[in-house]
């Protein structure tokens, strides 16, 4: 039986770089999506503005 030649070390290194880059990219997307979701939840948790909350320059007319 003939043993296959060893794989290309450069190809192996590039495959690992691609794998780590993909994992890092997915983690970044997850982090950004979680941040956006949390921001929406914080916004919904605050009450709407009341008339008393308006500043002196916000009056109409």
């Amino acid at each position: 039986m003939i043993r296959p030649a060893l794989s290309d070390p450069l190809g192996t290194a590039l495959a690992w770089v691609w794998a780590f880059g993909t994992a890092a990219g997915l983690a970044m997307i997850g982090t950004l999506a979680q941040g956006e979701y949390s921001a929406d939840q914080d916004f919904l948790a605050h009450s709407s503005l009341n008339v008393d909350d308006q500043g002196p320059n916000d009056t109409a007319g």
Side-chain angles (χ1 to χ4, degrees), residues 9-39:
L10 179 60
T12 302
L14 291 175
W16 279 102
V17 168
W18 176 83
F20 283 129
T22 301
L26 290 174
M28 178 64 73
I29 290 172
T31 301
L32 292 174
Q34 182 64 32
E36 290 292 323
Y37 180 74
S38 296

Side-chain angles (χ1 to χ4, degrees), residues 33-48:
Q34 182 64 32
E36 290 292 323
Y37 180 74
S38 296
D40 290 343
Q41 294 301 317
D42 288 342
F43 176 73
L44 294 175
H46 292 104
S47 63
S48 61

